Amino acid sequence: MRMINKDSRIPLYYQLMDIIIEQIETGQLKENDQIPSERELCDKFDISRATVRQAIQMLEREGYVYKKHGKGTFVSPEKMKQDLLKFYSFTEEMKKIGKTPTSKVIEFEIIGCNEKISRKMNIKKGEKIYKFTRLRLADNEPMMLETSYIPYNRFPGIKKNDLEKEAMYDIFTKRFNAVFTRAEESFQSVLTREDEAKLLNIKAGSPSMMIERLTFERETIIEYTIGIARGDKFKYHVVLKR
């Protein structure tokens, strides 16, 4: 294990942060592992408690650790890192990081679309659509709440339990031979509403990311989804090329 260099110009708390981050990123400390107590860190590195507290506060702020009152400080679960330059699905992304994805359908109905959805999806007002809300979970932990609007005529016969048994995009491609040509997404930081927070198991007013997605099959919109993603569970990645 690296030790702290007191002769370095790098602040002591920053050196301690770097050591703990290295242990997390190399797997020496795993998800939900408890990190050593303040006293243990003070003794191991011969530094003050104030220095340790500053390092822990910064690690918590940056999402590497979380605290349990009266129990200690623990390594945060890995966030879902989403590359914004390629098409993705929640189910496949969760599998990539070793988690088991599931969906719980909170609401499911077939309705005539209103004026707002008509404009969004470029379809006639009153046209029959599915509207359903799904709670997306990974290893049984709530991650995201999604409300989707899907044209009924393109995907007739979908049932509520279909969406709990199988990924929506798998239903589209395997049962209806859908071909996704592109998707457009917009992102907005929001404060989680009380009803959303209850389902996501977080405090009302916690920061979340609202994601609006339009999915196209050639020039036809086949999905409009509004998602509320927990701010403590997701990070987004984009590469800008000149």
Side-chain angles (χ1 to χ4, degrees), residues 189-198 202-208:
S189 178
V190 295
L191 299 179
T192 313
R193 299 195 316 246
E194 188 170 346
D195 58 323
E196 297 165 341
K198 187 175 181 180
I202 57 177
K203 291 182 180 179
S206 298
S208 291

Short mmCIF file of all heavy atoms in Angstrom, two decimals, residues 189-198 202-208:
data_model
loop_
_atom_site.label_atom_id
_atom_site.label_comp_id
_atom_site.label_asym_id
_atom_site.label_seq_id
_atom_site.Cartn_x
_atom_site.Cartn_y
_atom_site.Cartn_z
N SER A 189 -31.40 18.24 -15.33
CA SER A 189 -31.31 17.98 -13.89
C SER A 189 -32.59 18.44 -13.21
O SER A 189 -33.07 19.56 -13.46
CB SER A 189 -30.10 18.73 -13.32
OG SER A 189 -30.02 18.53 -11.92
N VAL A 190 -33.16 17.58 -12.37
CA VAL A 190 -34.42 17.90 -11.69
C VAL A 190 -34.34 17.47 -10.23
O VAL A 190 -33.49 16.66 -9.85
CB VAL A 190 -35.63 17.21 -12.37
CG1 VAL A 190 -35.85 17.73 -13.77
CG2 VAL A 190 -35.46 15.69 -12.37
N LEU A 191 -35.24 18.00 -9.43
CA LEU A 191 -35.42 17.54 -8.06
C LEU A 191 -36.54 16.51 -8.05
O LEU A 191 -37.61 16.74 -8.61
CB LEU A 191 -35.74 18.72 -7.14
CG LEU A 191 -34.67 19.81 -7.06
CD1 LEU A 191 -35.13 20.93 -6.13
CD2 LEU A 191 -33.34 19.24 -6.59
N THR A 192 -36.29 15.39 -7.41
CA THR A 192 -37.23 14.27 -7.46
C THR A 192 -38.52 14.59 -6.71
O THR A 192 -38.49 15.02 -5.55
CB THR A 192 -36.59 13.01 -6.84
OG1 THR A 192 -35.28 12.85 -7.36
CG2 THR A 192 -37.41 11.78 -7.14
N ARG A 193 -39.66 14.41 -7.38
CA ARG A 193 -40.95 14.62 -6.75
C ARG A 193 -41.21 13.57 -5.68
O ARG A 193 -40.61 12.49 -5.69
CB ARG A 193 -42.08 14.57 -7.79
CG ARG A 193 -42.00 15.60 -8.89
CD ARG A 193 -43.33 15.69 -9.63
NE ARG A 193 -43.89 14.37 -9.92
CZ ARG A 193 -44.02 13.87 -11.14
NH1 ARG A 193 -43.60 14.54 -12.19
NH2 ARG A 193 -44.57 12.68 -11.31
N GLU A 194 -42.15 13.86 -4.80
CA GLU A 194 -42.41 12.96 -3.68
C GLU A 194 -42.88 11.58 -4.15
O GLU A 194 -42.44 10.55 -3.63
CB GLU A 194 -43.46 13.58 -2.75
CG GLU A 194 -43.65 12.80 -1.46
CD GLU A 194 -44.51 13.55 -0.45
OE1 GLU A 194 -44.74 14.75 -0.63
OE2 GLU A 194 -44.96 12.90 0.53
N ASP A 195 -43.76 11.53 -5.15
CA ASP A 195 -44.26 10.24 -5.64
C ASP A 195 -43.15 9.44 -6.32
O ASP A 195 -43.08 8.21 -6.18
CB ASP A 195 -45.44 10.44 -6.59
CG ASP A 195 -45.10 11.31 -7.80
OD1 ASP A 195 -44.32 12.27 -7.64
OD2 ASP A 195 -45.60 11.04 -8.90
N GLU A 196 -42.27 10.13 -7.05
CA GLU A 196 -41.14 9.47 -7.69
C GLU A 196 -40.16 8.96 -6.65
O GLU A 196 -39.64 7.83 -6.74
CB GLU A 196 -40.44 10.44 -8.64
CG GLU A 196 -41.31 10.92 -9.79
CD GLU A 196 -40.74 12.14 -10.49
OE1 GLU A 196 -39.88 12.84 -9.90
OE2 GLU A 196 -41.16 12.40 -11.62
N ALA A 197 -39.88 9.80 -5.65
CA ALA A 197 -38.91 9.45 -4.61
C ALA A 197 -39.34 8.21 -3.84
O ALA A 197 -38.52 7.37 -3.48
CB ALA A 197 -38.72 10.63 -3.66
N LYS A 198 -40.64 8.08 -3.60
CA LYS A 198 -41.15 6.92 -2.86
C LYS A 198 -40.86 5.64 -3.62
O LYS A 198 -40.42 4.63 -3.04
CB LYS A 198 -42.65 7.08 -2.62
CG LYS A 198 -43.25 6.00 -1.73
CD LYS A 198 -44.72 6.30 -1.44
CE LYS A 198 -45.32 5.23 -0.53
NZ LYS A 198 -46.75 5.51 -0.23
N ILE A 202 -35.62 7.04 -2.47
CA ILE A 202 -34.73 8.15 -2.12
C ILE A 202 -35.56 9.26 -1.50
O ILE A 202 -36.79 9.20 -1.51
CB ILE A 202 -33.96 8.67 -3.36
CG1 ILE A 202 -34.94 9.12 -4.46
CG2 ILE A 202 -32.99 7.62 -3.89
CD1 ILE A 202 -34.25 9.71 -5.68
N LYS A 203 -34.90 10.28 -0.99
CA LYS A 203 -35.59 11.39 -0.37
C LYS A 203 -36.20 12.30 -1.42
O LYS A 203 -35.58 12.57 -2.45
CB LYS A 203 -34.63 12.20 0.51
CG LYS A 203 -34.16 11.47 1.76
CD LYS A 203 -33.24 12.37 2.59
CE LYS A 203 -32.77 11.64 3.85
NZ LYS A 203 -31.84 12.51 4.64
N ALA A 204 -37.41 12.80 -1.15
CA ALA A 204 -38.01 13.79 -2.04
C ALA A 204 -37.10 15.01 -2.11
O ALA A 204 -36.54 15.44 -1.09
CB ALA A 204 -39.39 14.18 -1.53
N GLY A 205 -36.94 15.55 -3.30
CA GLY A 205 -36.05 16.70 -3.47
C GLY A 205 -34.62 16.32 -3.79
O GLY A 205 -33.79 17.20 -4.06
N SER A 206 -34.31 15.02 -3.79
CA SER A 206 -32.97 14.57 -4.18
C SER A 206 -32.75 14.86 -5.66
O SER A 206 -33.68 14.83 -6.45
CB SER A 206 -32.80 13.07 -3.93
OG SER A 206 -32.95 12.75 -2.58
N PRO A 207 -31.49 15.12 -6.06
CA PRO A 207 -31.23 15.39 -7.48
C PRO A 207 -31.38 14.12 -8.32
O PRO A 207 -30.92 13.05 -7.94
CB PRO A 207 -29.77 15.89 -7.48
CG PRO A 207 -29.17 15.34 -6.23
CD PRO A 207 -30.28 15.27 -5.23
N SER A 208 -32.04 14.27 -9.44
CA SER A 208 -32.19 13.19 -10.42
C SER A 208 -31.98 13.76 -11.81
O SER A 208 -31.92 14.98 -11.99
CB SER A 208 -33.57 12.54 -10.33
OG SER A 208 -33.74 11.83 -9.12
#
